[in-house]
Amino acid sequence: MFQFFHIKTMLPKAGNPKKNGTGKVRLSLTTKFSYGIGHVLNDFCASVWFSYFLIFFTKVLLFSPQLSGSVVLVGQLADCVATPFVGVMSDRGEGCRYGRRKTWHLFGTIMVICTYPFIYSPAVGLQDSETWVKTLYYCFFIVLHQFAWAAVQISHLSLVPDLTPDEHERTALLAIRNSFTVIANMAVYLLLWGVLQVESADPDQPITPGDSGKFQFVTYTTVVVGTITSILFHLGVKERQQETLLPTEDNVRTQQETGNSTISLFTQFRLYQVAVLYMATRLFANISQTIFPLYLHDNLMLGGQKIAILPLVMYALSFVMSVLIKPLNKYFGRRVAYCFGAAVGIGVSVWVRLGEGDIYKSYLIYVVAGMYGISSSALLVTSLGITADLIGQDLNNGAFIYGLMSFCDKLSNGAFVMMIQSWPCFPSCSMHYRDSLAYVCGGAAVLGSIAVLTMCDTTPPVRDQLEEERPKEHEASNSSEVAVNA
């Protein structure tokens, strides 16, 4: 207990942003670091969910591909319902004295910790039960887990516009967030690779029901580490108090000056463009992460260790790209940065469709994994930046917009995974996962490119001008408010 409060008092006032000589708001390194690790627990869960859920359910629990796809769809639909709900409630901020974003983050974190381990463990007390009973058991925990995961994701993303109005600072926060996402994914792959290497002498040995304990070890380890990073996030990030959406006179006046009503958002064509862009981006990233291990295991006939090593290569290159994407966005703009990532994604999708032979299987497949990582990182960071630009000064609708984006993302991902698992001979029987990976990811990259190229302006300049032109008295008032809230 003493150490807990000692750490808290040693942290600087991370929620108090400072301004440089140009008047731009600058966040402290403590705030940036603490924000970056605030999604690590979710990243652990997402990594196992997208990379190994189907492997675990089909190879360890011996569920049929169709049933496994159905369970994924149930989880994604639960996430679809949860994200707009969490977004609206987080924006309203009712009863959130701790901070409207951090309250939902804390609630979601606790629920994730309580549900995550049950998903990747044998059904407690149901080992001899029928499959449909086990399915209901897992669906129960998955629905709760997805609601909790959505609460953490939306509250964490919607903190970005709340913490700073500066476009480049927002891009920096998102890049740091994505860097820790990459680190979390790499940690999962290293953990699984280490466990498989220690307990298996044959690197080409396939995954079997006997590997259940290895998945449980990975699950419990990531829960412990993710809990620690979540605690550090709550200690290091100080949320500034924002107006709620409750119908007060001050709130109505603020909304008229700086934002839109929730209903009026649907009259903006740009909202639909960004939704398509975000959906296509997440579809590319998640399908490549989900289907790639199955492609390696079932089509290329690679063993369990390669299923851990190759995704590790993917995320190592993704980490490098997450560092480079900030200057690419800054100097060339979001449109160029996104099209770069899309071009790499289209190229690697074509390569997967045409690639064959021993050289491809033994060596070139590492290059393929790296290209997927580069493309995913560039697309994700840039699309999140474009979403933050859409929110702009409209902080009262920030979480709802992120929830709406996530709704499109989860619905499309769940539908495509269900279709891929339900139609094992479409477009071909022998190389089903290869073709699914190539066509779905390639098509998503093309769709995202069309969306970003049709946007009139991907770098709105109004926000920074408003910040610089704000009266000094208002700045002093805001500074006092931030100091009090910190």
Side-chain angles (χ1 to χ4, degrees):
M1 182 65 72
F2 171 79
Q3 291 180 344
F4 177 87
F5 286 104
H6 177 69
I7 293 174
K8 184 174 182 179
T9 55
M10 289 295 290
L11 288 170
K13 293 187 176 181
N16 191 357
K18 299 180 180 180
K19 292 190 176 184
N20 60 14
T22 63
K24 298 288 185 68
V25 177
R26 297 297 180 189
L27 299 174
S28 69
L29 292 177
T30 301
T31 298
K32 292 180 179 179
F33 174 81
S34 301
Y35 175 83
I37 63 176
H39 203 255
V40 167
L41 178 59
N42 259 28
D43 292 330
F44 283 144
C45 298
S47 178
V48 180
W49 173 265
F50 288 112
S51 295
Y52 298 119
F53 180 86
L54 292 177
I55 290 284
F56 179 77
F57 267 66
T58 56
K59 311 300 179 183
V60 177
L61 298 182
L62 301 181
F63 278 37
S64 68
Q66 294 81 2
L67 187 57
S68 300
S70 300
V71 175
V72 171
L73 181 60
V74 168
Q76 297 299 94
L77 289 176
D79 207 345
C80 285
V81 175
T83 46
F85 172 79
V86 172
V88 171
M89 297 306 296
S90 177
D91 283 333
R92 290 180 65 87
E94 294 183 78
C96 299
R97 296 181 181 274
Y98 181 56
R100 59 178 182 173
R101 311 302 188 195
K102 289 178 65 178
T103 297
W104 278 99
H105 187 283
L106 180 62
F107 168 74
T109 298
I110 295 173
M111 283 192 64
V112 166
I113 294 171
C114 294
T115 56
Y116 173 52
F118 289 95
I119 299 174
Y120 300 98
S121 302
V124 179
L126 300 176
Q127 286 79 1
D128 299 326
S129 301
E130 296 183 12
T131 303
W132 69 269
V133 177
K134 295 180 181 179
T135 302
L136 292 178
Y137 171 90
Y138 286 111
C139 285
F140 171 77
F141 284 105
I142 286 172
V143 168
L144 292 179
H145 174 77
Q146 292 288 37
F147 181 87
W149 195 94
V152 175
Q153 181 203 32
I154 297 304
S155 59
H156 192 260
L157 277 176
S158 56
L159 261 176
V160 174
D162 287 359
L163 290 176
T164 175
D166 184 74
E167 174 190 344
H168 300 307
E169 285 289 278
R170 290 179 177 183
T171 302
L173 284 175
L174 294 171
I176 294 171
R177 179 185 188 271
N178 190 68
S179 297
F180 279 104
T181 297
V182 172
I183 292 172
N185 280 274
M186 292 174 64
V188 170
Y189 299 137
L190 281 171
L191 265 176
L192 187 60
W193 174 73
V195 171
L196 292 173
Q197 187 181 45
V198 168
E199 299 189 16
S200 177
D202 184 9
D204 294 326
Q205 180 178 342
I207 301 294
T208 65
D211 294 318
S212 175
K214 301 171 186 177
F215 284 91
Q216 288 179 272
F217 177 81
V218 173
T219 301
Y220 297 145
T221 303
T222 52
V223 164
V224 173
V225 176
T227 301
I228 295 173
T229 57
S230 297
I231 292 173
L232 293 177
F233 162 78
H234 283 274
L235 293 177
V237 175
K238 308 301 181 183
E239 182 179 351
R240 298 167 59 187
Q241 296 297 318
Q242 301 287 347
E243 299 280 350
T244 73
L245 290 183
L246 296 178
T248 63
E249 181 180 350
D250 292 339
N251 195 330
V252 171
R253 183 169 60 251
T254 301
Q255 197 174 74
Q256 292 174 346
E257 294 174 355
T258 63
N260 304 293
S261 67
T262 302
I263 300 299
S264 68
L265 290 174
F266 292 97
T267 64
Q268 302 179 18
F269 181 67
R270 185 181 177 87
L271 175 70
Y272 300 97
Q273 289 180 301
V274 176
V276 171
L277 175 76
Y278 188 84
M279 179 191 70
T281 300
R282 297 299 304 188
L283 186 63
F284 180 93
N286 293 342
I287 292 298
S288 64
Q289 191 175 1
T290 302
I291 302 301
F292 191 63
L294 290 169
Y295 165 62
L296 299 176
H297 191 277
D298 290 5
N299 291 158
L300 298 186
M301 306 302 291
L302 299 177
Q305 292 187 25
K306 288 290 183 67
I307 293 176
I309 294 175
L310 285 166
L312 176 61
V313 174
M314 179 190 299
Y315 274 89
L317 271 294
S318 180
F319 177 78
V320 174
M321 193 64 222
S322 69
V323 176
L324 300 177
I325 195 61
K326 180 185 176 182
L328 191 62
N329 271 274
K330 181 177 181 180
Y331 295 111
F332 296 97
R334 301 207 191 281
R335 182 180 285 112
V336 173
Y338 190 91
C339 287
F340 165 77
V344 176
I346 294 170
V348 71
S349 298
V350 173
W351 195 1
V352 166
R353 178 60 183 84
L354 302 178
E356 58 183 14
D358 293 336
I359 294 179
Y360 172 82
K361 178 179 176 180
S362 301
Y363 304 105
L364 297 181
I365 191 65
Y366 289 92
V367 182
V368 169
M371 290 179 67
Y372 270 122
I374 291 172
S375 179
S376 295
S377 183
L379 296 177
L380 283 172
V381 173
T382 307
S383 66
L384 287 172
I386 293 174
T387 306
D389 292 339
L390 174 67
I391 296 171
Q393 292 291 317
D394 191 13
L395 303 183
N396 281 328
N397 290 314
F400 175 76
I401 292 175
Y402 278 120
L404 186 63
M405 299 298 116
S406 188
F407 175 86
C408 301
D409 149 38
K410 304 305 179 184
L411 186 61
S412 62
N413 276 276
F416 272 94
V417 170
M418 179 66 180
M419 288 188 291
I420 291 172
Q421 291 295 90
S422 299
W423 300 337
C425 286
F426 179 83
S428 66
C429 294
S430 59
M431 300 296 285
H432 169 62
Y433 290 121
R434 179 203 66 184
D435 294 343
S436 299
L437 184 65
Y439 294 140
V440 175
C441 291
V446 171
L447 180 61
S449 300
I450 295 174
V452 76
L453 289 174
T454 55
M455 290 182 182
C456 296
D457 185 11
T458 56
T459 311
V462 178
R463 181 173 56 252
D464 292 338
Q465 294 176 3
L466 288 175
E467 285 297 313
E468 293 175 3
E469 295 174 0
R470 181 180 295 174
K472 291 184 179 180
E473 299 91 327
H474 191 53
E475 288 183 358
S477 175
N478 279 350
S479 299
S480 301
E481 180 184 356
V482 171
V484 172
N485 292 332

